[in-house]
Amino acid sequence: MVTIIAAETPKHLQDFGVLAREFASWAMASFHKDTSAPPAVFAKLEQELSNLPGKYAAPEGALFIAYENGEAVGCVAGFKSESGAFEVTRLWVRSECRGMGVGDKLVDALLKSASQSGYKTSVLRSRSDMTFAHNVYRRAGFVDVDGNMLFSNFMDIEVAMQRDLT
């Protein structure tokens, strides 16, 4: 049975770091063959993880972890974006738990937290080829939007999505 919890304790933050690093390693191996120049989304990952919860601290941000039988199997995070919306990031579910609704549960918990913190809108950006994640986001009510309207440094290899939280 999968349990979704807000990451608050040092152990939770450590588990989030492990999962975020797994995600970054997977993404780099899958999409960024030049490891000497990581993409902006991962350029400051170690600094971000060493300062957790950092920008993900409540009430402006949130971190959630999925546990199965006491083992961390997935994570998601959110923070106040440059536009003032709640930005979803770092969604990762270990391969052995995919297809079990873990990603859906993580995103649902994160969006409920954002709504309770007073956010009216949630946004995200994702690589265009990460369609499995897009399916999770669309099931949560996100729709595709023009990323140039939401992000000052939007790239053509990305998709942008938005969802009303009211």
Side-chain angles (χ1 to χ4, degrees), residues 96-145:
E96 65 269 18
C97 293
R98 293 185 190 143
M100 299 170 44
V102 176
D104 296 313
K105 291 175 185 174
L106 282 163
V107 170
D108 184 55
L110 185 71
L111 295 178
K112 283 181 183 172
S113 175
S115 180
Q116 291 169 353
S117 292
Y119 285 99
K120 304 295 183 214
T121 306
S122 184
V123 299
L124 64 90
R125 61 199 294 166
S126 176
R127 283 189 56 98
S128 58
D129 43 13
M130 296 178 94
T131 57
F132 59 90
H134 305 162
N135 292 334
V136 171
Y137 298 135
R138 288 186 180 107
R139 284 193 300 270
F142 282 88
V143 295
D144 292 59
V145 295

Side-chain angles (χ1 to χ4, degrees), residues 3-20 45 48-67 74-80 86-91 105-107 109-111 113-114 117:
T3 305
I4 308 298
I5 62 160
E8 298 171 338
T9 69
K11 172 71 169 128
H12 297 155
L13 298 177
Q14 179 182 357
D15 288 345
F16 179 87
V18 168
L19 292 165
L45 181 64
E48 174 185 308
L49 297 178
S50 69
N51 292 312
L52 286 175
K55 67 181 178 181
Y56 306 122
E60 289 189 339
L63 292 166
F64 283 88
I65 300 184
Y67 286 94
C75 64
V76 70
F79 62 97
K80 187 174 185 175
F86 187 78
E87 187 170 339
V88 177
T89 189
R90 307 285 189 236
L91 176 62
K105 291 175 185 174
L106 282 163
V107 170
L110 185 71
L111 295 178
S113 175
S117 292

